Amino acid sequence: MTVSRVIENKLAFNQITDLVIARCLSPMGVGYAQKVRFINRFDLIEKLLLQTKEFKSVLQERLPFPDQNYLDIGPWLYKARIEGVWLLEEELHQVRLTVQTFLHIAKFLRERNGLYPNLEALMEGLLINDLVIRRIDKILEPEGKLKANASPELSKLSQKINEKESEIRRKTQKLFDKYQDLGYLADNIGVSIREGRMVLPVLAEHKRHVNGFMHDESQTGQTVYIEPTDCFDLNNFLRELQMAYRRERERILLETTDQLRPEIPELEKNQLRLGLFDFVRAKALLAIEMKADMPILSRHPGINYLQAYHPLLKMNHDRQGLKTVPLSVSLSKDSHIMVISGPNAGGKSVCLKTIGLLQFMLQCGFLIPCDAASELGIFKDIMVDIGDEQSIENDLSTYSSHLLSMKNFTEFADAKTLFLIDEFGTGTDPQFGGPLAEAILHHLTRKKAFGVVTTHFSNLKNFANHTPGLLNACMLFDHEALQPLYILETGKPGSSYAFELAVKSGLNQQIINYAKNKVGDKQRKVEELLVELEREKQHVNELRIRFTEKEEKSEAMLLKYETLTNKFEAEKKQLLKKAKEEALALVAEANSKIEATIREIKQEQASSEVQRKARTLVKDEIQQLKEAVGEATEVIQSKTEGILSLGNIQVGDMVRVIGQETPVKVIELQKNKAVVGMGDLRSTVALQKLEKFSSDQEQVVKRLAPKGIDFNAKMQHFSSELNVIGTRGEEALKQLDDYLDDALILGIKQVRIVHGKGYGILRKLVRNSLKLNKRVETFQDEHVELGGDGVTIVTLKV
């Protein structure tokens, strides 16, 4: 086993290749997966990653990429190389299917107009034509059988064979009916075929009564199968026709094979490239399952993982419904070696293996499960010392095997090397193993090598704390539950929590106390200090999180209060003005009626009854005036209460977007945002943009809503994407203008305009119109994987 294979097994990369092999469609794809090796060429790594990324996009978009008939025709091509040898129908059929698949792939990529350049590059240097298919189609049916008219001679022979078989069948059936009437034949058995000839099932006791040649007998011996003498000549003639047919068939197959022989080198190239497509497809399928992506590549060594996962651990946890904690870690020129400490079973080794496996996968051309913003450099080599390499045959102990690895590390590691050491310094007396490990680490630091080591040794933690280029890190631990959190934190060492874990495991307290007394005061104080620091830092982090949440909430409430106060004052003034105008109008109307009544009394010198009615009329007018003023006051108070109730929006409240009148219901609250709904529609809106009103004011809001606009209908039928592909320029601009009007009315912030690429004419018209539109805040290209410059993302001033 080579060194690279040893590293693959230690990092579990062999399990990754097994997963790829399981997703291959052909032996050729499997062959490529088995030949994967660690590479350190930047351009090659980038090309392999882009191929997989493009294929991942094809699969995620469910495009019809050909995935049938990835057949291994290598044995048939090898056979066809030999002069005088012909391929059988099934073998030719497989060759045809394979070439058809390759042509379908070429057509698929050609129709995408350069959308997948790295996949198209796999077709470079290949001759793509359907000559082989046309030659095979001349002689084979679509299902792979030889055509009856593959040649004029074969067509004649086929017709004669059919005619002769029909004649023999009629003759035999006539004899069958005759002997059956005589009782010579076995019941429930019809005319049978033996050695390609029609025979009669004759009872053994009557075999002397039927003239002919006996071909076979039943297992019991009670039935014998006899070819009647009357059919000898007919069957012999049929046999001659069949032999002639076979000779013609072989001639046709030989001729076709001879025609294919010059194409064999090109067919072999196509088959290998088909296997490569299969392999890239398998990698893309695995990337989708692992939620893998392509990070930013750097030509210089370095690591900056963001939200990375160990792929095997993540997939296993996903199957079990368990949560996997992501890893974020960085190594640079200034901090190129990380020393990870912490409790046993706290995740140190998993962290180290994750870094090693992801880097190895990346430099083998695999997408890795991490955030796409991660940035990774290319290393010339990876060195690994994980696990026990003791060997009885080679008289190699555990510590000796570690020392042998350290010898190789110190001799061959340089500034372009990534080394990984698990449980650094263990395997011998800690009094000597610790200083030796420190010396090795010092040597590797001077060589500027990149690396990650895990350890429990305090001297290595102290060395990392005071040495430039080294960085301490620890796995966080829950002090109350005494459980690891599997979170890596850089900048400080971690405690091993040996005594705390011993207490949790139920070990006798006297034994633990005895052990504590054996530990030196200095060492014990260091461990206790680390534990206390960890506890205090965790408490400070919790306080910081709570403070941040309260600060954000206070700022949001203050902003909302200021907005509501301004709105309240404005609406209050407006309502008071309106109520005053209505009251003045009522007073003026009442004065007019009273003055008219007084004039009537004076003119008619009214009686006491008329005067009484006048007084009653005046009282009614005064009462109506009071009621009108009171109603206006109630409207102002109701409106004021509705406005003042906006400060505490809860789930279930009826609200509206500021500047709009359509009522919506609060479905869910998310920090500074709310999910609101209207019918089956859902939208997320910032809380500061919402106004709340009570259920009593809901009818008032509906009366105040603008007439002629059906907001419900518009919202239900509105799409966040406008497709103008194939539309004439003038019509496209009109659709765009109407569409932006609707988006603004409904309060939509961002929309997509699909105009395609083509010659760029429609795109230019659309973007010129957007530049002149004062309602547009910004616009930009869509992400390259979602359409690139064929789609424009428009942000509106809502």
Side-chain angles (χ1 to χ4, degrees):
M1 180 180 293
T2 64
V3 174
S4 62
R5 285 299 186 187
V6 173
I7 294 176
E8 289 179 16
N9 293 338
K10 284 182 176 291
L11 296 177
F13 181 73
N14 58 320
Q15 298 182 43
I16 299 294
T17 55
D18 288 342
L19 292 174
V20 173
I21 288 172
R23 287 155 181 77
C24 288
L25 299 172
S26 68
M28 300 87 71
V30 171
Y32 277 104
Q34 292 172 338
K35 294 175 183 176
V36 169
R37 292 294 182 272
F38 180 86
I39 53 180
N40 51 32
R41 284 176 47 198
F42 178 89
D43 55 341
L44 181 56
I45 293 172
E46 184 179 41
K47 181 175 72 172
L48 295 177
L49 293 175
L50 288 172
Q51 288 172 359
T52 309
K53 182 180 179 180
E54 290 180 0
F55 217 126
K56 176 188 170 187
S57 176
V58 170
L59 296 174
Q60 287 179 323
E61 294 177 20
R62 300 184 181 276
L63 299 178
F65 191 91
D67 59 358
Q68 301 291 324
N69 300 317
Y70 283 69
L71 305 173
D72 182 11
I73 60 173
W76 316 142
L77 298 181
Y78 178 80
K79 175 182 176 182
R81 284 181 176 276
I82 304 172
E83 294 284 346
V85 175
W86 61 84
L87 297 181
L88 301 177
E89 291 90 338
E90 179 59 27
E91 295 166 353
L92 287 171
H93 182 51
Q94 289 188 15
V95 171
R96 176 173 59 178
L97 292 176
T98 301
V99 176
Q100 285 177 343
T101 300
F102 194 76
L103 291 178
H104 291 160
I105 292 175
K107 180 182 178 183
F108 173 90
L109 294 173
R110 187 170 59 251
E111 291 176 346
R112 266 62 193 180
N113 297 320
L115 188 58
Y116 306 108
N118 290 280
L119 291 179
E120 287 184 22
L122 295 177
M123 308 294 291
E124 291 180 359
L126 298 179
L127 181 63
I128 303 173
N129 61 59
D130 61 349
L131 179 61
V132 171
I133 294 176
R134 286 187 279 110
R135 285 174 175 170
I136 297 176
D137 283 345
K138 287 182 180 180
I139 66 168
L140 293 186
E141 299 286 356
E143 65 275 9
K145 295 182 179 179
L146 188 67
K147 289 182 177 180
N149 60 348
S151 72
E153 181 64 20
L154 193 71
S155 178
K156 293 178 183 179
L157 292 171
S158 297
Q159 183 178 357
K160 289 181 179 180
I161 289 173
N162 290 335
E163 293 173 353
K164 191 58 63 177
E165 285 178 344
S166 299
E167 182 181 354
I168 294 173
R169 193 176 296 109
R170 289 193 300 271
K171 184 72 174 179
T172 306
Q173 186 63 44
K174 183 177 180 181
L175 293 172
F176 179 87
D177 295 338
K178 171 185 174 182
Y179 290 124
Q180 189 176 44
D181 293 340
L182 296 173
Y184 295 164
L185 305 182
D187 295 335
N188 302 323
I189 302 178
V191 175
S192 301
I193 302 293
R194 290 294 185 275
E195 299 178 3
R197 303 169 84 94
M198 291 186 179
V199 293
L200 301 175
V202 181
L203 294 172
E205 59 268 26
H206 297 298
K207 62 183 178 181
R208 303 297 180 192
H209 298 99
V210 178
N211 295 327
F213 179 78
M214 186 172 70
H215 285 272
D216 198 4
E217 66 177 357
S218 64
Q219 292 182 349
T220 61
Q222 296 180 356
T223 303
V224 294
Y225 296 93
I226 299 176
E227 178 186 358
T229 304
D230 295 349
C231 296
F232 276 178
D233 293 338
L234 293 175
N235 276 324
N236 288 337
F237 187 66
L238 176 62
R239 179 61 58 86
E240 291 177 4
L241 291 174
Q242 290 173 341
M243 292 173 65
Y245 180 90
R246 185 180 64 193
R247 288 192 298 270
E248 180 62 14
R249 165 183 166 272
E250 292 174 354
R251 186 196 66 78
I252 294 171
L253 295 178
L254 179 60
E255 181 182 19
T256 304
T257 303
D258 290 341
Q259 292 173 348
L260 296 181
R261 191 168 290 114
E263 311 296 333
I264 289 178
E266 198 62 37
L267 290 175
E268 289 176 334
K269 291 180 183 178
N270 292 353
Q271 187 200 14
L272 290 175
R273 208 59 57 90
L274 189 64
L276 186 54
F277 274 106
D278 181 23
F279 172 57
V280 177
R281 173 184 175 277
K283 289 197 297 180
L285 283 172
L286 183 61
I288 293 173
E289 292 183 40
M290 294 192 308
K291 299 179 177 61
D293 211 330
M294 179 178 172
I296 301 170
L297 289 184
S298 172
R299 294 182 179 274
H300 306 290
I303 285 175
N304 184 25
Y305 284 114
L306 300 175
Q307 300 294 304
Y309 294 94
H310 191 291
L312 300 175
L313 181 66
K314 180 75 164 60
M315 294 174 72
N316 185 48
H317 279 185
D318 288 347
R319 285 193 293 267
Q320 300 179 40
L322 301 176
K323 180 183 177 182
T324 307
V325 180
L327 170 69
S328 294
V329 61
S330 178
L331 294 178
S332 62
K333 286 184 177 181
D334 296 331
S335 300
H336 52 94
I337 298 179
M338 179 179 290
V339 178
I340 304 176
S341 52
N344 287 314
K348 298 190 302 297
S349 296
V350 173
C351 175
L352 179 139
K353 291 179 180 179
T354 300
I355 295 171
L357 177 58
L358 295 187
Q359 189 67 36
F360 202 93
M361 288 175 61
L362 182 82
Q363 294 195 225
C364 287
F366 287 72
L367 300 182
I368 57 177
C370 68
D371 192 286
S374 302
E375 184 171 358
L376 299 178
I378 304 302
F379 293 95
K380 182 185 69 175
D381 198 6
I382 293 183
M383 297 181 174
V384 175
D385 183 44
I386 300 175
D388 187 359
E389 286 294 322
Q390 66 174 328
S391 171
I392 296 176
E393 295 92 347
N394 298 325
D395 192 23
L396 203 62
S397 68
T398 300
Y399 190 63
S400 297
S401 68
H402 288 313
L403 288 178
L404 185 59
S405 295
M406 293 305 102
K407 175 179 177 294
N408 292 329
F409 285 19
T410 55
E411 287 182 0
F412 301 110
D414 57 24
K416 296 182 179 180
T417 301
L418 174 66
F419 66 86
L420 308 169
I421 306 175
D422 193 24
E423 300 295 346
F424 196 21
T426 59
T428 189
D429 188 338
Q431 185 177 356
F432 305 105
L436 184 57
E438 183 177 328
I440 294 171
L441 195 57
H442 177 259
H443 183 78
L444 292 171
T445 303
R446 291 176 57 191
K447 299 190 75 172
K448 304 296 183 182
F450 287 76
V452 180
V453 302
T454 66
T455 187
H456 290 283
F457 285 1
S458 298
N459 68 306
L460 296 182
K461 303 176 191 177
N462 294 331
F463 180 71
N465 196 44
H466 296 95
T467 305
L470 269 66
L471 175 68
N472 262 315
C474 68
M475 304 305 299
L476 296 185
F477 194 76
D478 188 335
H479 304 87
E480 296 181 359
L482 292 179
Q483 290 182 345
L485 298 176
Y486 305 109
I487 299 174
L488 178 71
E489 185 176 83
T490 58
K492 68 181 185 64
S495 171
S496 297
Y497 297 95
F499 294 133
E500 289 80 2
L501 292 173
V503 171
K504 183 184 178 183
S505 67
L507 190 64
N508 188 291
Q509 188 63 44
Q510 292 181 348
I511 297 175
I512 296 173
N513 292 336
Y514 182 85
K516 285 183 177 180
N517 292 331
K518 284 292 183 180
V519 177
D521 290 341
K522 184 177 179 181
Q523 180 63 31
R524 184 169 64 251
K525 288 180 180 179
V526 170
E527 288 295 321
E528 290 175 354
L529 180 60
L530 287 174
V531 172
E532 185 62 27
L533 285 173
E534 179 64 30
R535 185 180 291 111
E536 289 183 3
K537 184 168 184 178
Q538 190 171 344
H539 180 63
V540 169
N541 285 336
E542 291 175 357
L543 291 176
R544 180 176 56 80
I545 292 172
R546 289 205 296 267
F547 174 77
T548 302
E549 291 177 350
K550 288 182 179 179
E551 186 178 27
E552 292 176 353
K553 187 175 181 180
S554 298
E555 290 177 356
M557 292 181 66
L558 179 61
L559 179 62
K560 187 185 298 182
Y561 171 77
E562 292 175 353
T563 303
L564 294 176
T565 301
N566 295 335
K567 184 174 180 62
F568 166 70
E569 291 296 333
E571 293 201 17
K572 183 178 179 181
K573 290 179 181 179
Q574 184 179 356
L575 289 172
L576 287 172
K577 181 180 179 182
K578 184 178 179 181
K580 185 177 180 180
E581 291 173 351
E582 291 178 353
L584 290 173
L586 289 171
V587 169
E589 184 180 353
N591 283 336
S592 299
K593 290 183 179 180
I594 292 171
E595 290 174 358
T597 302
I598 293 173
R599 285 196 300 271
E600 184 181 350
I601 292 173
K602 289 180 177 181
Q603 292 173 359
E604 298 181 4
Q605 297 180 352
S607 62
S608 58
E609 179 64 26
V610 173
Q611 294 178 17
R612 185 184 63 79
K613 289 182 178 180
R615 285 196 297 271
T616 302
L617 178 62
V618 171
K619 287 181 180 180
D620 290 343
E621 291 296 330
I622 292 173
Q623 182 63 31
Q624 290 180 13
L625 181 61
K626 289 181 179 179
E627 291 177 356
V629 173
E631 182 178 348
T633 304
E634 290 178 0
V635 170
I636 295 173
Q637 183 180 0
S638 173
K639 191 70 176 177
T640 303
E641 289 176 355
I643 295 171
L644 292 176
S645 65
L646 295 175
N648 187 22
I649 295 178
Q650 303 292 333
V651 174
D653 288 343
M654 296 300 296
V655 299
R656 67 180 178 182
V657 179
I658 295 175
Q660 301 183 22
E661 299 297 337
T662 305
V664 292
K665 187 175 182 181
V666 178
I667 306 300
E668 180 183 355
L669 294 175
Q670 302 175 346
K671 290 189 177 180
N672 299 327
K673 297 181 180 180
V675 179
V676 297
M678 181 174 64
D680 293 332
L681 300 177
R682 297 289 185 271
S683 179
T684 301
V685 185
L687 284 171
Q688 64 188 39
K689 293 185 178 180
L690 296 178
E691 293 178 330
K692 171 185 172 184
F693 51 86
S694 64
S695 57
D696 294 331
Q697 280 81 45
E698 183 174 350
Q699 296 301 321
V700 175
V701 173
K702 288 183 178 179
R703 288 200 303 273
L704 294 175
K707 305 300 180 184
I709 299 177
D710 189 347
F711 284 89
N712 291 342
K714 277 188 175 295
M715 184 64 77
Q716 291 175 359
H717 294 93
F718 186 84
S719 171
S720 62
E721 179 180 290
L722 174 65
N723 192 327
V724 294
I725 293 177
T727 309
R728 297 178 64 86
E730 183 178 352
E731 179 61 22
L733 294 180
K734 183 178 183 303
Q735 290 183 21
L736 175 63
D737 198 53
D738 294 341
Y739 178 76
L740 295 179
D741 285 342
D742 289 344
L744 285 165
I745 290 173
L746 297 175
I748 305 300
K749 180 68 175 176
Q750 192 174 83
V751 295
R752 300 173 81 249
I753 311 300
V754 181
H755 44 65
K757 299 179 179 177
Y759 295 100
I761 298 174
L762 191 56
R763 177 177 66 233
K764 186 175 180 181
L765 285 173
V766 168
R767 296 192 175 183
N768 286 340
S769 176
L770 294 174
K771 286 180 182 177
L772 300 174
N773 196 325
K774 296 181 179 180
R775 300 168 297 179
V776 175
E777 184 173 328
T778 61
F779 62 89
Q780 61 186 16
D781 288 348
E782 175 62 281
H783 191 278
V784 67
E785 293 184 1
L786 300 177
D789 58 359
V791 179
T792 298
I793 302 299
V794 182
T795 302
L796 300 172
K797 297 178 181 178
V798 178

